[in-house]
Amino acid sequence: MEGDMKTMDSEQLREYAHKMVDFIADYYKDIETFPVLSQVQPGYLRELIPDSAPARPDSFQDVLDDIRDKIIPGVTHWQSPEYFAYFPSNSSIAGFLGEMLSAGVNVVGFSWITSPAATELETIVMDWLGKALKLPDAFLSTGHGGGVIQGTASESVLVVLLAARDKILRKVGEDAIRKLVVYISDQTHASMQKACKIGGILPRNIRILETDSSTEYALSPELLTKTISQDIALGLIPLFLCATIGTTSSAAVDPLLALGKIAKSNGLWFHVDAAYAGSACICPEFRPYLDGVEEADSFNMNAHKFFLTNFDCSALWVKERNALIHSLSTKAEYLENKASQENMVVDYKDWQIPLGRRFRSLKLWMVFRLYGLENLQVYIRNRIELARKFEDLVKNDARFEVLSNKYILRFAVGAPLTEERHVFAAWEMLQEKAYALLKRL
């Protein structure tokens, strides 16, 4: 391989990594010049890239040129300041540097012994984040619970559903799985239904409770109580309740305290999905949205949505870590080591679906270290203020309304590069489209 890129060489890494960082920095510098939504047609890339891998290596510059000319046109630019779809997917310098370091050391930290720092840093930063959110002490590593970084909220809800399922089946017998019932609202993320499919919950036993504008699309405690009572009368077994702080469709906030008390009195596992809006609750003025979280058995928020931490970094806390471990632990001779066998350490392989795991805690740690809580709070408040300014623009135009239960335009502010001018430009574009549409009516 003389003259070619080596598999690993510190000086060659330094040379090419500098070029890649320059490429990425230029991408961010020019990101406003790209259309936010990729303009390519399905299958475009097959016409531009050979149908088999090269026998001989290409030059690094040729690869960069292809990225610029062939890959970037097929990218929807989630980090664009003019991106207002779905939900924020924040990147930041600190998050990027942490991701770079994680890729650089490239550990596979499934157990403590495979890289002690990966396990111990994750435990520490999850406690940091839990304290920033003012979660109950029961969710911290100092008690029977603790936090773990999953890839996505979909993985988080799956592992706690499995823990809840196995916990109750140990009491009532495995044959009772066909009687287990899960309760969600019609605003709950679709990943909950996928988790039920994987977890063996029968589709007919998923209760999708209807919401409406009278409660701002929050789950009704009265409807939940009535539905649970009906299921018990039918001989079914209430298993799991998922509440949401900031639903994807409508940003609805479910009443945690009331729902939690219902769950506890009926023996349900109570999970709180705050993937979207949870980050905002590090600000004292938004923390009341989490009131009642003390009733929950598990809590999840995505640091990669609104916390300047590059994807993927989904933070999950549980009050009873043994419930996860009993459900997900695996034993094999090649995994044995003294620290694990003597229960001296945490092995996060037993808190998740896969065996292998990345050193995700590095980027969350660097976000905390390089920004600090005060600056993170300022950042979140600024994004929310931009959203409020957009709301004011809508309210001041008679052609638009801020409402629900009708076909609506959903406008999500959250990209780190977004400024007031981008919000105003988006509003002007919407006004132009509305004018053209109304003119045809």
Side-chain angles (χ1 to χ4, degrees):
M1 295 182 67
E2 187 176 352
D4 299 329
M5 181 177 284
K6 299 181 172 85
T7 54
M8 182 51 69
D9 175 83
S10 60
E11 291 309 313
Q12 200 174 60
L13 173 64
R14 191 187 314 276
E15 175 188 355
Y16 289 123
H18 274 296
K19 291 181 180 179
M20 182 59 81
V21 168
D22 285 343
F23 184 92
I24 295 169
D26 287 341
Y27 166 75
Y28 275 97
K29 182 180 179 181
D30 299 333
I31 197 169
E32 285 191 60
T33 67
F34 303 126
V36 177
L37 181 66
S38 173
Q39 303 299 297
V40 302
Q41 296 300 312
Y44 90 101
L45 203 52
R46 284 197 175 274
E47 300 177 6
L48 302 176
I49 291 181
D51 61 2
S52 58
R56 294 289 303 150
D58 293 323
S59 73
F60 186 59
Q61 188 57 53
D62 285 344
V63 173
L64 287 180
D65 290 344
D66 277 353
I67 294 172
R68 183 189 63 243
D69 299 335
K70 300 174 182 178
I71 302 300
I72 294 297
V75 170
T76 290
H77 301 283
W78 283 65
Q79 303 308 316
S80 170
E82 297 178 314
Y83 182 93
F84 300 108
Y86 295 112
F87 42 74
S89 179
N90 287 181
S91 66
S92 66
I93 296 173
F96 175 83
L97 295 175
E99 189 70 45
M100 181 189 292
L101 181 57
S102 177
V105 297
N106 200 30
V107 304
V108 186
F110 51 82
S111 62
W112 179 88
I113 196 66
T114 61
S115 194
T119 294
E120 296 194 13
L121 185 63
E122 184 161 335
T123 300
I124 291 167
V125 296
M126 287 298 291
D127 280 351
W128 280 8
L129 184 52
K131 290 175 182 177
L133 291 164
K134 293 183 171 52
L135 294 182
D137 288 346
F139 283 119
L140 305 181
S141 65
T142 49
H144 296 293
V148 57
I149 300 176
Q150 305 282 347
T152 65
S154 301
E155 296 168 56
S156 294
V157 75
L158 173 58
V159 296
V160 294
L161 177 66
L162 296 178
R165 179 200 67 184
D166 293 349
K167 182 179 179 180
I168 200 165
L169 290 181
R170 285 194 294 270
K171 296 179 180 178
V172 299
E174 294 181 356
D175 292 342
I177 190 171
R178 299 177 65 85
K179 296 182 178 181
L180 301 182
V181 184
V182 169
Y183 302 86
I184 60 177
S185 84
D186 56 9
Q187 301 296 305
T188 304
H189 196 276
S191 60
M192 184 71 246
Q193 295 183 57
K194 181 179 285 190
C196 289
K197 288 183 178 181
I198 297 171
I201 305 301
L202 297 179
R204 67 170 182 262
N205 288 348
I206 303 173
R207 302 289 179 260
I208 303 175
L209 305 181
E210 187 175 344
T211 63
D212 58 44
S213 58
S214 67
T215 60
E216 296 184 328
Y217 297 94
L219 179 56
S220 164
E222 292 77 19
L223 179 58
L224 175 64
T225 298
K226 177 181 177 182
T227 307
I228 290 174
S229 297
Q230 291 172 342
D231 286 334
I232 292 173
L234 292 172
L236 299 174
I237 303 172
L239 168 68
F240 190 94
L241 168 65
C242 181
T244 308
I245 304 298
T247 61
T248 301
S249 297
S250 56
V253 176
D254 291 331
L256 300 188
L257 186 59
L259 296 176
K261 290 184 180 302
I262 296 169
K264 181 178 290 186
S265 65
N266 288 280
L268 283 80
W269 182 293
F270 182 34
H271 176 66
V272 175
D273 175 2
Y276 183 16
S279 299
C281 297
I282 67 166
C283 300
E285 63 270 32
F286 302 124
R287 177 54 179 77
Y289 288 118
L290 295 187
D291 287 353
V293 71
E294 61 273 11
E295 302 291 340
D297 296 285
S298 52
F299 175 84
N300 170 234
M301 59 83 76
N302 283 350
H304 59 243
K305 277 195 171 73
F306 206 19
F307 206 73
L308 294 179
T309 307
N310 292 39
F311 184 83
D312 52 354
C313 188
S314 184
L316 171 69
W317 291 265
V318 292
K319 279 184 177 176
E320 186 185 344
R321 56 177 172 263
N322 282 338
L324 279 183
I325 294 169
H326 285 155
S327 186
L328 301 171
S329 178
T330 52
K331 306 288 185 184
E333 184 178 356
Y334 53 81
L335 297 175
E336 292 178 358
N337 64 87
K338 181 179 179 181
S340 297
Q341 288 173 289
E342 295 182 359
N343 293 320
M344 299 166 57
V345 296
V346 170
D347 287 335
Y348 280 123
K349 69 178 179 63
D350 299 329
W351 298 44
Q352 62 176 26
I353 299 299
L355 174 65
R357 60 196 331 269
R358 300 171 60 242
F359 201 164
R360 296 188 187 100
S361 57
L362 275 174
K363 54 191 172 185
L364 184 55
W365 181 62
M366 292 187 75
V367 165
F368 273 120
R369 292 288 306 278
L370 296 176
Y371 296 129
L373 270 174
E374 290 182 0
N375 283 332
L376 289 166
Q377 289 170 336
V378 168
Y379 169 76
I380 288 170
R381 288 174 179 133
N382 177 263
R383 304 298 97 181
I384 293 173
E385 181 58 29
L386 289 178
R388 285 174 173 157
K389 287 184 177 181
F390 185 80
E391 182 182 22
D392 289 340
L393 293 172
V394 175
K395 288 180 176 178
N396 290 329
D397 190 318
R399 295 168 298 179
F400 294 85
E401 293 178 79
V402 178
L403 46 72
S404 297
N405 206 30
K406 294 183 180 179
Y407 188 84
I408 62 172
L409 295 174
R410 183 178 177 278
F411 190 84
V413 177
L417 293 173
T418 301
E419 300 174 358
E420 187 175 282
R421 62 187 175 90
H422 300 110
V423 173
F424 288 170
W427 177 239
E428 290 174 3
M429 184 272 289
L430 289 172
Q431 288 180 310
E432 291 171 4
K433 298 295 184 182
Y435 176 77
L437 177 64
L438 294 172
K439 193 176 180 180
R440 294 200 300 267
L441 297 178

